[in-house]
Amino acid sequence: MNSEIAIKQNIENALKEFDNQPIRDAATHLLDILGYRSKRISNDAFDNEKYDNLLESALETANPSKKLCIERWQSYRRIMQITDEEIKQQQTPEKQFSFESTDINENLRTSYMFVAVELDGDAFTRTQLADITRFICRKSPYSIMVMFRYSDYLSLAIINRRHHKRDPKKQVLEKVTLIKDINLNKPIRAHIEIIYDLYLRNLILTQEVKNFDTLHDEWEKILNTEELNKKFYRKLFKWYQWAIETATFPTDENRVIKPEEHVIRLITRLLFIWFIKEKAWIADDLFNEEQIKDLLTEDDFDNGDSYYRAVLQNLFFATLNTEIDKRRFSKANNADHRNPSVYRYKTQMRDPHKLLKRFAQTPFINGGLFDCLDSFKATGEQGYRIDCFSDNQYHKLSIPNKLFFHPQQGLIPLLEHYKFTVEENTPIDQEVALDPELLGRAFENLLATINPETGETARKQTGSYYTPRAIVDYMVEEALVASLSQKCQPTDGDTEYYNERLRYLFDYAKMFDDASIWFDDNEINAIIKTISELKILDP
């Protein structure tokens, strides 16, 4: 078996077994598969003492507004510490190293500590997990990955830290990054792929990881959501080009839109669906090739084209764009010939009502994304077909099944390769997943490919410009900094450095938890007073 496939299978097995073992054993086993091994480990007795101290500190110092969920903490275990020495051993795994010390080095900043925390509860928000991670990391000098186990889920969290620019003895905590809600009963492909990317041996062989600093740099690249978005878009664009070349689109003389526009609409609709699928509003079976083959009548599914019509068009127009109590099949007497809100293509389904059951959990979306663009008028001088959602003229449009299900090139395998989340990332915490901002970026970038021969883009023609979240964050932050700078005075008189500290406050020192690193008490009081007066936020 291919070593990559074998390791991914081992990761999946370890996740499925995670709930059946003590958390120290489960975490150690998963880390061992990923190549992270160390003799620098703690023990239950010592960790219990550290845990008691941590809880006591949390109760005494935690900001009441922070959701540390202290009452739901069950256990705290330090699994192992990875230093330059352990990374060196993996560079030549055939050799055996003996370590001078097997104790955890409490003062070694250039190391990773893997920590496991058990929580009591079925679900936790990204903010709650990020706040707990930030609190734990504030109590230690080294970098930490926190492994949260709760209910049937596992979440991994790390936080960036750097030296204070003026006081190298201090460290500044920055953004928390999470691989969130890994389903331990049924891990999805996207989570297994992300975890596999952390496999230490590969990082050593392909990225020249040789010590803590280079490992930390590679982890940052792997868990960088900007890079994740760019990587996804590059693959999506290749599919976009393939779809334009492969699919057949209507050439109705009364109204023709370019193949590029057809494909952009299809991509935008499916991306939106993939996000709301995270809310369990759409059945996974609709995108499972084996399940779909059983529902459709095509004998040669791989070379057919019924999936787009019988499944996706019925999902787009007769389900998402139709109120629940009005959903039904078109009538046999052709009375619904131009009705865009009824189910069609019954003859292409083995069991129409069985397929309809798959649509039952899907809500009505009151928006224009799933509007059928066909004319309601009779075809002729005024009527036209764009989406071709028709019992009579559907042959004008053909989107082959392979565009969706081809193992290497298909759109659905591509979407399954990535984790989607409905929570937007923020300057202080992020999930390693594609968030709703992707919709705007993909839509704008794909529109920009139209009309290259004239130099004009569809963005300019339609006014479809998307402002990235980073720019919005920057504009808001600069407005706050300018307002506070006018009303508050820096203690040391250094306005430029004061403004830099204010930017840090809004970027990372959420609710002033880390503000004491940057401001003295008088400055903090002045900032809180001014923010309260401006009603910017609740301090």
Side-chain angles (χ1 to χ4, degrees), residues 190-338:
H191 278 146
I192 293 172
E193 296 286 346
I194 294 170
I195 295 173
Y196 173 76
D197 286 343
L198 301 176
Y199 180 52
L200 181 56
R201 188 67 183 151
N202 271 2
L203 298 180
I204 290 171
L205 294 176
T206 62
Q207 306 300 330
E208 299 185 353
V209 166
K210 59 186 69 174
N211 52 31
F212 167 79
D213 290 330
T214 51
L215 176 64
H216 184 71
D217 290 344
E218 287 307 314
W219 275 30
E220 281 196 341
K221 293 176 186 177
I222 292 168
L223 303 176
N224 186 313
T225 55
E226 283 294 319
E227 288 302 315
L228 187 74
N229 276 277
K230 291 177 183 177
K231 183 179 178 181
F232 173 78
Y233 180 76
R234 286 194 294 269
K235 293 181 178 180
L236 182 66
F237 185 71
K238 288 183 179 179
W239 186 89
Y240 163 77
Q241 293 176 309
W242 182 39
I244 292 170
E245 297 169 358
T246 306
T248 300
F249 300 100
T251 55
D252 196 304
E253 61 182 13
N254 290 328
R255 184 177 177 187
V256 177
I257 68 173
K258 294 187 174 186
E260 291 88 344
E261 292 181 59
H262 279 285
V263 178
I264 289 172
R265 288 182 65 83
L266 174 57
I267 288 174
T268 306
R269 285 166 172 168
L270 281 174
L271 283 180
F272 183 87
I273 283 171
W274 228 257
F275 281 111
I276 65 174
K277 198 158 70 72
E278 288 296 307
K279 305 289 287 185
W281 291 347
I282 294 182
D284 287 332
D285 288 355
L286 295 173
F287 309 97
N288 183 299
E289 183 176 3
E290 295 306 315
Q291 296 277 354
I292 289 301
K293 285 181 178 179
D294 291 340
L295 295 173
L296 303 181
T297 58
E298 277 182 327
D299 293 328
D300 187 2
F301 182 83
D302 293 342
N303 294 308
D305 65 353
S306 65
Y307 175 70
Y308 176 73
R309 288 192 301 275
V311 178
L312 293 186
Q313 283 199 327
N314 277 321
L315 175 62
F316 295 162
F317 310 130
T319 305
L320 285 161
N321 202 49
T322 302
E323 295 175 46
I324 294 174
D325 60 351
K326 295 180 181 179
R327 294 173 184 172
R328 60 177 177 83
F329 270 104
S330 59
K331 296 178 180 178
N333 61 9
N334 215 27
D336 292 317
H337 178 58
R338 292 184 294 277

Side-chain angles (χ1 to χ4, degrees), residues 27 34 36 63 76 95 122 146 165 168 186 204 247 252 284 286 313 342 347 375 382 389 429 437 469:
L34 295 174
Y36 297 91
N63 188 318
Y76 169 87
K95 296 182 180 180
D122 294 332
V146 185
K165 292 182 178 180
K186 190 178 179 181
I204 290 171
D252 196 304
D284 287 332
L286 295 173
Q313 283 199 327
V342 293
T347 60
S375 168
Q382 295 180 319
F389 189 47
D429 56 52
E437 183 183 21
R469 182 179 56 247

Side-chain angles (χ1 to χ4, degrees), residues 19 41 54 80 120 208 219 247 310 313 360 397:
D19 254 353
I41 60 177
L54 197 66
M80 67 178 67
D120 179 23
E208 299 185 353
W219 275 30
Q313 283 199 327
L397 184 147

